[in-house]
Amino acid sequence: QVQLVESGGGLVKPGGSLRLSCAASKFTFRDYSMTWIRQAPGEGLEWISSIRGDGDTIYYADSVRGRFTISRDNAKNSLYLQMNSLRAEDTAVYYCARVAPRVGDRYFDLWGRGTLVTVSS
Amino acid sequence: SYVLTQPPSVSVAPGETARITCGGNNIGSKSVQWYQQRPGQAPVLVIYYDRDRPSGIPERISGSNSGNTATLTISRVEAGDEADYYCQVWDSNSDHLYVFGTGTKVTVL
């Protein structure tokens, strides 16, 4: 069925790096902008980065700009998040989400189940 | 940065109506979405464009938006409605382009 599946989470030391992946299934991946959203333990949702379908336009929240890099491979139906210089406050479940497709849509109509990133020494 | 404020919790008896508010400066001029997050699960879109429901979302769930407050209403509450609910808007002037509310935990008594 139509789905998103994240992978790549785990335990990493402060200052370390991690690469998250999100595999998309059963929809035309290149037609959709994609997003990473995170949720710290017991906290709310925080948008951190988006990338348009062609990969040419990218946005970041200030909290991750310069440390995280979003990318995609439309041939592999995959979204990525390279996370460098990780901090304890980056500890969270990271969700991959699809942005609804119509021009002007600014919401997320499909979410993955998330992958947990823990930054701790 | 644009801020969306929700009550931390709402309690409601089965069969009654739950109303969850989302406050923001002139939020009525923006499009508001609502997501339901059951314990241990990913969020699910339940309302978009203030009041539209994705397929599969029951008519018991409705939304409205005016002035400085958007509201999610759940009628005839069931045990399965117990979850966290988040409102969301897009704001091009914010650091976070997609802004989420602080979240409301709905408890079914």
Side-chain angles (χ1 to χ4, degrees), chain A residues 20-84:
Chain A
L20 306 183
S21 299
C22 170
S25 304
K26 302 294 188 189
F27 66 93
T28 306
F29 182 68
R30 65 179 179 272
D31 287 349
Y32 291 83
S33 295
M34 298 296 296
T35 290
W36 288 100
I37 293 162
R38 69 183 180 184
Q39 185 171 34
E43 300 295 325
L45 301 168
E46 180 191 13
W47 169 83
I48 58 172
S49 185
S50 291
I51 184 169
R52 290 197 179 168
D54 57 10
D56 285 350
T57 304
I58 287 172
Y59 306 94
Y60 295 103
D62 285 351
S63 54
V64 304
R65 184 176 292 114
R67 299 187 302 122
F68 290 10
T69 302
I70 192 172
S71 62
R72 63 191 296 160
D73 185 336
N74 288 341
K76 295 183 177 179
N77 293 331
S78 293
L79 176 73
Y80 306 102
L81 186 68
Q82 177 66 43
M83 304 186 295
N84 299 331

Side-chain angles (χ1 to χ4, degrees), chain A residues 6-24:
Chain A
E6 301 92 337
S7 60
L11 175 63
V12 60
K13 289 181 168 53
S17 298
L18 211 55
R19 189 193 195 209
L20 306 183
S21 299
C22 170

Side-chain angles (χ1 to χ4, degrees), chain B residues 7-61:
Chain B
S9 63
V10 167
S11 297
V12 58
E16 298 299 308
T17 297
R19 292 181 179 85
I20 305 161
T21 58
C22 174
N25 184 34
N26 197 25
I27 194 174
S29 67
K30 297 180 180 297
S31 172
V32 178
Q33 282 64 237
W34 292 90
Y35 302 88
Q36 176 194 67
Q37 186 178 32
R38 294 190 171 107
Q41 298 187 20
V44 172
L45 178 71
V46 293
I47 291 288
Y48 64 101
Y49 286 139
D50 297 342
R51 60 183 65 246
D52 291 343
R53 282 182 304 277
S55 60
I57 301 302
E59 293 184 5
R60 303 185 296 108
I61 295 178

Side-chain angles (χ1 to χ4, degrees), chain B residues 61-90:
Chain B
I61 295 178
S62 62
S64 63
N65 183 21
S66 178
N68 292 317
T69 304
T71 302
L72 179 71
T73 301
I74 309 172
S75 304
R76 302 182 298 283
V77 165
E78 303 171 355
D81 297 325
E82 188 161 289
D84 293 326
Y85 292 82
Y86 294 90
C87 56
Q88 176 257 313
V89 301
W90 185 76

